[in-house]
Amino acid sequence: GRRSLVGLSVGFLTATPEHGLHSHITCTAPGRGDAGLGTALKLYQRAWALAAGLTSVTWTVDPLVGRNNYFNFAKLGARAVAYLPDFYGPMADGLNAGDETDRLLMSWALSDPLPGQGSTGLRSTMGPETNGSFLLAVGLDEEPCRFDVTGDVVACQIPADILALRERDPHKANRWRHELRDALGGALSDGYVIQEFTRSGCYILTRGQSRNLS
């Protein structure tokens, strides 16, 4: 029968970090995003890299796209190593047109166990309703609300669907871009580490603590 492409992953070897693979793109065809193909592609990529003697996989992700970030942090156990403002410059594709291309640089240590597979650390269950130390939160009518807080644990909340917000109100989506850049990017520069990204759309950042996986 006729075959059709339902997903792909493309990467290249990199010397930074040494013995690493940089995953340029991993994607699924429209309508295939909920079929587990993304997980299958990343697990195959992990197995391929390990068989090739590589130690890590890196990639970039839009910090405002919550669904992707929950997958990266909670499902894969990757960590964010840098905030990259407007990393790719202007792009005219359907996902990025009219927006600045801020990215988180993710790193996936292939020697680490996958979440829930043999690690002993305890993952926080903190969500917006249990953590009062917000650097950034979603306000009324999805307005970004900034707060001047400090502490060992802080949070940055993002809109539930930035792509829909961009269609509906591109100016507000642009405000979110700059507020998150200042709040999340600033916190990472100040020594905070993203401990997790919750289902409720919240980055939990810690300072002076190692990141644990469960």
Side-chain angles (χ1 to χ4, degrees), residues 90-161:
M91 297 178 70
D93 63 289
L95 291 177
N96 297 287
D99 195 6
E100 295 173 70
T101 53
D102 288 23
R103 294 293 185 265
L104 286 175
L105 177 61
M106 306 298 299
S107 181
W108 198 18
L110 302 183
S111 60
D112 289 347
L114 293 169
Q117 294 186 6
S119 59
T120 58
L122 295 177
R123 179 179 293 277
S124 163
T125 57
M126 232 181 262
E129 66 280 2
T130 60
N131 179 21
S133 298
F134 280 92
L135 296 172
L136 180 65
V138 179
L140 294 176
D141 199 27
E142 294 189 285
E143 287 287 346
C145 297
R146 283 288 304 276
F147 301 94
D148 185 15
V149 299
T150 58
D152 289 337
V153 181
V154 295
C156 287
Q157 189 181 24
I158 62 172
D161 189 342

Side-chain angles (χ1 to χ4, degrees), residues 20 23 52 86 94 101 131 160-161 175 187 212:
S23 180
D86 203 20
T101 53
N131 179 21
D161 189 342
R175 289 199 299 276
N212 297 317

Side-chain angles (χ1 to χ4, degrees), residues 2 9 18 22 24 28-30 37 47 51 72 80 90 96 110-111 118 123 129 140 148 158 163 170 192-193 197 214:
R2 183 179 179 183
S9 184
E18 190 176 4
H22 184 76
H24 181 63
T28 59
L37 289 175
N72 288 327
N96 297 287
L110 302 183
S111 60
R123 179 179 293 277
E129 66 280 2
L140 294 176
D148 185 15
I158 62 172
L163 301 181
Y192 283 92
V193 174
F197 185 84
S214 63

Side-chain angles (χ1 to χ4, degrees), residues 6-134:
V6 297
L8 62 85
S9 184
V10 177
F12 49 86
L13 297 179
T14 174
T16 308
E18 190 176 4
H19 306 303
L21 175 74
H22 184 76
S23 180
H24 181 63
I25 187 171
T26 298
C27 63
T28 59
R32 299 279 188 163
D34 296 324
L37 289 175
T39 301
L41 283 166
K42 293 304 289 187
L43 292 181
Y44 179 83
Q45 185 182 66
R46 181 178 188 267
W48 185 94
L50 283 168
L54 304 179
T55 59
S56 67
V57 179
T58 57
W59 63 90
T60 61
V61 63
D62 189 336
L64 273 172
V65 180
R67 179 176 178 176
N68 289 350
N69 282 291
Y70 184 78
F71 175 76
N72 288 327
F73 285 98
K75 300 296 186 181
L76 300 180
R79 63 189 180 93
V81 295
Y83 190 101
L84 308 172
D86 203 20
F87 184 60
Y88 295 109
M91 297 178 70
D93 63 289
L95 291 177
N96 297 287
D99 195 6
E100 295 173 70
T101 53
D102 288 23
R103 294 293 185 265
L104 286 175
L105 177 61
M106 306 298 299
S107 181
W108 198 18
L110 302 183
S111 60
D112 289 347
L114 293 169
Q117 294 186 6
S119 59
T120 58
L122 295 177
R123 179 179 293 277
S124 163
T125 57
M126 232 181 262
E129 66 280 2
T130 60
N131 179 21
S133 298
F134 280 92

